[in-house]
Amino acid sequence: MAQLDAQRIKKLKTGEKIGFAATVFCGAALVYAIVLFSVSASTGNALLQTVTWATAPAALVLGIAVAAYCNIKFGGELDKIVREFITETFVENAALMHPERSSLSYYVEIGQSKAEISVNDYKEKIVFDFSDFGKISLARKLNISKTITDRLTATFCRLYERGASYKSVDYREKDTKRKKTGKVIRIISDGVPDKKSYKYYLKNK
């Protein structure tokens, strides 16, 4: 069964938070620099101008370096964990995707701690439990949604290449609380892959 490593995620999220803090620091340093440059220019204070030139660029470079490192080291690793977990969950629940049907419509819903996929009028759902991440941020929700839909696209384009026959396959995002359903995105239409979906698949396979 696909599982997440809660302790590892906790450590990586701590590093990711440091990166977010560094990004905020960069913004504050930039404001600091602009204000001090303005003040030194308007008052003709050469000493203040010199101090600003000496400290502001160094602070910005340090903040940018820390933010970039944390984003690559910790954020990138968390994204990798998400991708692997989604792939494993799909594999374990392949039957719930109902690949035997010729027409498939998937509904993808991202909640506060989990994602769900339902298909056609079946009651069973594929559930991706991300509770070990805590409350999922908006950025991570977007990443999870994209990873899931990319996997759907890759799966059915690959099946088509291997000779599988489907009349239509599509997906859309769903928000049960708001009773809203997003735009339909075609993967296969009239028996052939959608041009945009297939182009994306070929580019990223």
Side-chain angles (χ1 to χ4, degrees), residues 11 24 27 55 63 69 94 114 117 131 159 171 177 196 199:
K11 291 178 180 178
V24 173
T55 59
Y69 174 81
K114 64 181 179 180
I117 293 181
S131 55
L159 286 171
Y171 65 84
K177 290 184 178 179
K196 289 184 179 179
K199 182 178 180 181

Side-chain angles (χ1 to χ4, degrees), residues 65-118:
V66 172
Y69 174 81
C70 290
N71 181 57
I72 295 171
K73 176 67 176 179
F74 304 109
E77 191 64 25
L78 286 167
D79 288 343
K80 181 181 177 182
I81 288 173
V82 167
R83 288 194 302 272
E84 291 177 348
F85 179 68
I86 287 174
T87 299
E88 290 173 10
T89 303
F90 264 128
V91 170
E92 290 179 358
N93 295 275
L96 295 182
M97 294 177 71
H98 292 282
E100 75 282 357
R101 296 287 298 271
S102 62
S103 295
L104 296 161
S105 290
Y106 292 94
Y107 298 85
V108 181
E109 185 164 16
I110 312 297
Q112 294 298 323
S113 61
K114 64 181 179 180
E116 296 181 343
I117 293 181
S118 56

Side-chain angles (χ1 to χ4, degrees), residues 17-29:
K17 287 178 181 178
I18 294 173
F20 291 151
T23 301
V24 173
F25 172 79
C26 286

Side-chain angles (χ1 to χ4, degrees), residues 141-152:
K141 282 184 179 181
L142 292 173
N143 180 53
I144 288 171
S145 177
K146 185 177 185 304
T147 303
I148 288 173
T149 55
D150 284 353
R151 178 53 51 191
L152 284 173

